[in-house]
Amino acid sequence: MASLVSSLLKGKCPQCKKRSIFNAAQGLFLLSIPEMDTVCKNCNFKFEKEPGFFFGAMFVSYALAVAEFIAFSILFYFILKMPILYTFFGVLFFALILSTFNYRYSRIIWIYLFYKEKKA
């Protein structure tokens, strides 16, 4: 279980856990859409099972964004006692910065949700 969580957080292939799902040359917080490989270059595991497979990843991305918005709102408004307008713009700023992070990890989480490990 620990290796599963570790490989998920690192964005590795769920089957071989060696190669990255996304192009490693791109950072997490760049404002460009990360490029995703179609298959693992190590074990040929196909990431997109069928056309439209990643439609469900939008719901995961939405859940990540809501959790981030709530966390930042609580931090800015209740803990740091910032005015509501500053809190609003702070949340918008972090939403923009974390958009590629959410895109990447929503797809990784979606792949891992539907991965069935082959038994020997």
Side-chain angles (χ1 to χ4, degrees):
M1 184 59 127
S3 70
L4 179 73
V5 172
S6 174
S7 61
L8 186 144
L9 292 175
K10 291 178 184 174
K12 301 294 182 184
C13 171
Q15 187 164 307
C16 68
K17 296 175 181 51
K18 293 183 179 161
R19 296 296 299 240
S20 185
I21 294 172
F22 284 89
N23 186 351
Q26 297 175 319
L28 281 177
F29 301 105
L30 295 176
L31 296 178
S32 63
I33 296 174
E35 293 178 15
M36 184 177 162
D37 294 327
T38 54
V39 296
C40 177
K41 292 176 180 159
N42 187 48
C43 66
N44 287 334
F45 177 76
K46 188 176 180 184
F47 296 126
E48 188 172 2
K49 301 295 178 203
E50 58 190 26
F53 175 71
F54 290 114
F55 180 73
M58 290 189 310
F59 297 105
V60 176
S61 179
Y62 177 76
L64 288 173
V66 167
E68 292 161 0
F69 294 168
I70 290 171
F72 288 128
S73 297
I74 289 171
L75 175 71
F76 289 147
Y77 189 71
F78 293 109
I79 296 174
L80 298 177
K81 306 284 187 202
M82 295 180 110
I84 193 74
L85 190 60
Y86 291 162
T87 301
F88 174 74
F89 286 117
V91 167
L92 285 179
F93 173 75
F94 281 109
L96 180 66
I97 295 298
L98 293 174
S99 62
T100 56
F101 173 85
N102 288 344
Y103 175 83
R104 181 185 296 244
Y105 277 97
S106 64
R107 285 184 169 226
I108 292 171
I109 290 169
W110 195 252
I111 289 169
Y112 272 81
L113 280 175
F114 291 98
Y115 173 68
K116 291 182 176 55
E117 193 168 340
K118 293 179 183 175
K119 303 210 178 193

